Amino acid sequence: MPEFTMPSLGADMDEGTLSQWLVRPGDRVSRGDVVAVVETSKSAIEVECFQTGTVDSLLVPEGTTVPVGTPLALIEEGDREKPADGRSGQRAPSPPAVPEHPPVPPRGTTTREDGFVTPLIRRLAGERRVDLGELHGSGAGGRITRADIIRAAGTAAKPVSSDGRTKASPLARKLAAESGIDIAKVPGSGRNGTVRAADVREATQTPSEPPSAQTRSLPSAQEQALPAVGRSRKETDRTGTARLMARSKREIPHFYLSTTIDMGTALDWMRDRNTALPLSERLIPAALMLKAVACAAEEVPELNGHWIDDAFVPARQVRLGVAVALRQGGLVVPALGEAEHRSLPEVMSSLKDLVSRARRGRLRASETADPSITITSLGDQGVECVFGVIYPPQVALVGLGRVIERPAAVNGLLGVRPTLTATLSLDHRAANGATGARFLNCLDRLLQRPEEL
């Protein structure tokens, strides 16, 4: 029977915490369905199933930390055989179990198209007794999000276990105890309102009650000494990043190239295009740059892949990793798949969605697995040039700064042009300077012909 195992959600991941199960034994699942939420040292990630079948059993309880590759559940492929009736001498099938909180279709319930309601949202709505037909989604294209369901559930009663305690994951209880929070007052976003670790972290960042006079009188040194979940989370994030970057600099022989690209043609084309579009559909320079990098990686496949077992293994497609700085101080690198084949509006929309969900801790496992080349951009922070550290087992990283106006000679005349400094960090085991130069020249050429992107 196929096993659903703890996935590797990054080169720096050795273990993960099963934060929440989104399925139960007997549930029917399809390939691509989100079945669990896993917490890594950087963020919480929704994990999809890679088989189609029926959940046979859950092997690991919520709140448990296990190494990568550990079996988490058993999934029986295909449909389970059901006896026709009791005449065969076999025991008649037991009646289907009634869920603890079945979906309640109240009067006036309407049906949403599948494109607007995911299985995860439909399940959450059933558990919270929320009518999907009366909700207006706040997501892209009117999609209903988890936040919409929780907001609609409003002041639902706090679920309690048989012993009268508030339902919460072990990790959530631990974090609440460390931060001095009454877990009974924390609204839960898990199954049946169970309090998750993310709920506790959110409660510590946005306290609902004003500080007491005693707390206000504490000197700043004492305030800094108080336990803070956000701070410990930040330290954990930095530890994971530090471990991976130290490994990269220790094992990968880096060398670096850079070039200056005239962005005048690209920006003029983008401005002309944006004037005819509504504000929500307008492009920004980052979309042009990402599409150009993806196309360059397709044209120079020697840099699009991984160094595995002392050999370069080219990737089957371009999975563009985008370095995203998290608000709590960590760093994640979700992947934008097949960006070279997407239109610029699609790249723009996907980039917004990916960055937003990365910072809210709502990435999926498929979006964190195996980027083939990474781009890091600090132009929005005012940085003119960045030389990045390669994200193993990749062999290249593209760095982009901000567009600045500089004096430049064009056709023998001196003028002021908007320019971009693009850098390339390379693994000398997999590539040499000539290969890197081809990539940067290709990137320059593509940005001079933005209408072809």
Side-chain angles (χ1 to χ4, degrees):
M1 186 176 295
E3 295 177 337
F4 171 66
T5 61
M6 173 65 73
S8 175
L9 304 175
D12 57 337
M13 178 176 169
D14 299 318
E15 61 182 18
T17 300
L18 180 64
S19 174
Q20 182 184 7
W21 280 114
L22 303 177
V23 295
R24 301 173 183 173
D27 284 356
R28 180 75 181 170
V29 294
S30 300
R31 181 182 177 88
D33 286 352
V34 178
V35 297
V37 177
V38 170
E39 289 196 28
T40 69
S41 61
K42 295 183 177 180
S43 63
I45 297 175
E46 296 177 343
V47 181
E48 301 109 310
C49 175
F50 292 97
Q51 295 93 17
T52 296
T54 303
V55 178
D56 181 79
S57 58
L58 306 179
L59 306 178
V60 175
E62 294 180 347
T64 305
T65 300
V66 295
V68 169
T70 300
L72 302 178
L74 297 178
I75 298 178
E76 182 179 353
E77 293 185 324
D79 293 323
R80 289 182 172 176
E81 296 182 359
K82 298 181 180 179
D85 52 35
R87 291 176 296 179
S88 63
Q90 297 178 348
R91 187 172 60 184
S94 57
V98 179
E100 183 180 353
H101 295 290
V104 177
R107 295 186 303 273
T109 298
T110 58
T111 302
R112 290 263 184 177
E113 297 180 4
D114 290 341
F116 287 86
V117 181
T118 64
L120 172 60
I121 294 301
R122 196 177 297 280
R123 172 181 290 277
L124 186 60
E127 294 170 348
R128 296 299 183 90
R129 299 173 178 265
V130 171
D131 180 7
L132 292 174
E134 297 180 356
L135 279 187
H136 298 283
S138 61
R143 291 180 184 273
I144 295 178
T145 66
R146 179 190 294 265
D148 297 328
I149 300 295
I150 295 174
R151 190 161 47 245
T155 58
K158 174 72 69 174
V160 295
S161 58
S162 57
D163 59 0
R165 295 198 309 164
T166 298
K167 286 187 177 181
S169 70
L171 180 58
R173 292 189 185 280
K174 178 182 177 183
L175 294 178
E178 291 176 351
S179 55
I181 288 180
D182 183 0
I183 201 166
K185 297 181 179 179
V186 178
S189 63
R191 184 193 304 166
N192 300 331
T194 300
V195 178
R196 301 170 51 240
D199 302 324
V200 178
R201 293 193 182 101
E202 184 176 352
T204 60
Q205 294 169 0
T206 56
S208 57
E209 298 180 0
S212 64
Q214 181 180 1
T215 304
R216 286 194 297 267
S217 65
L218 288 172
S220 59
Q222 292 185 32
E223 290 176 354
Q224 293 176 3
L226 291 174
V229 175
R231 240 186 340 262
S232 62
R233 176 75 179 192
K234 178 178 179 179
E235 291 171 359
T236 302
D237 293 343
R238 290 308 311 167
T239 299
T241 303
R243 184 168 58 245
L244 181 64
M245 294 298 97
R247 170 191 160 193
S248 174
K249 294 297 286 185
R250 184 172 60 248
E251 298 178 359
I252 298 177
H254 285 63
F255 74 101
Y256 308 92
L257 302 175
S258 70
T259 191
T260 301
I261 299 175
D262 188 330
M263 292 292 292
T265 302
L267 295 180
D268 289 343
W269 176 86
M270 186 185 71
R271 275 192 290 266
D272 291 342
R273 183 185 183 281
N274 283 345
T275 54
L277 296 174
L279 189 62
S280 60
E281 297 178 15
R282 293 180 181 178
L283 299 177
I284 61 174
L288 294 175
M289 297 174 193
L290 260 66
K291 178 70 183 288
V293 169
C295 292
E298 185 182 36
E299 290 191 30
V300 187
E302 297 93 330
L303 301 185
N304 183 54
H306 307 94
W307 186 263
I308 300 173
D309 295 332
D310 294 326
F312 176 71
V313 180
R316 296 181 180 178
Q317 60 173 282
V318 178
R319 287 182 55 80
L320 188 61
V322 182
V324 178
L326 302 179
R327 292 186 177 92
Q328 64 266 30
L331 181 72
V332 293
V333 186
L336 191 62
E338 298 185 332
E340 75 279 16
H341 297 143
R342 303 190 189 199
S343 66
L344 281 170
E346 289 175 336
V347 171
M348 182 74 184
S349 174
S350 299
L351 177 63
K352 284 182 178 178
D353 176 61
L354 202 63
V355 172
S356 173
R357 288 190 293 107
R359 288 177 173 161
R360 288 186 288 113
R362 304 314 303 173
L363 289 174
R364 292 191 170 188
S366 58
E367 295 166 335
T368 63
D370 302 327
S372 55
I373 186 171
T374 293
I375 180 172
T376 180
S377 174
L378 293 175
D380 60 337
Q381 304 294 321
V383 174
E384 297 183 9
C385 176
V386 53
F387 291 89
V389 180
I390 297 172
Y391 191 91
Q394 298 166 42
V395 299
L397 181 140
V398 180
L400 301 175
R402 70 185 178 100
V403 177
I404 359 179
E405 291 191 339
R406 290 190 179 99
V410 181
N411 297 326
L413 298 176
L414 185 63
V416 176
R417 302 290 295 174
T419 60
L420 166 73
T421 299
T423 68
L424 187 60
S425 304
L426 292 166
D427 183 342
H428 223 324
R429 299 172 300 180
N432 53 31
T435 306
R438 276 200 298 126
F439 181 93
L440 290 176
N441 289 333
C442 179
L443 180 62
D444 191 344
R445 172 174 53 81
L446 290 166
L447 287 172
Q448 304 313 314
R449 303 172 185 173
E451 67 281 356
E452 297 180 6
L453 291 174

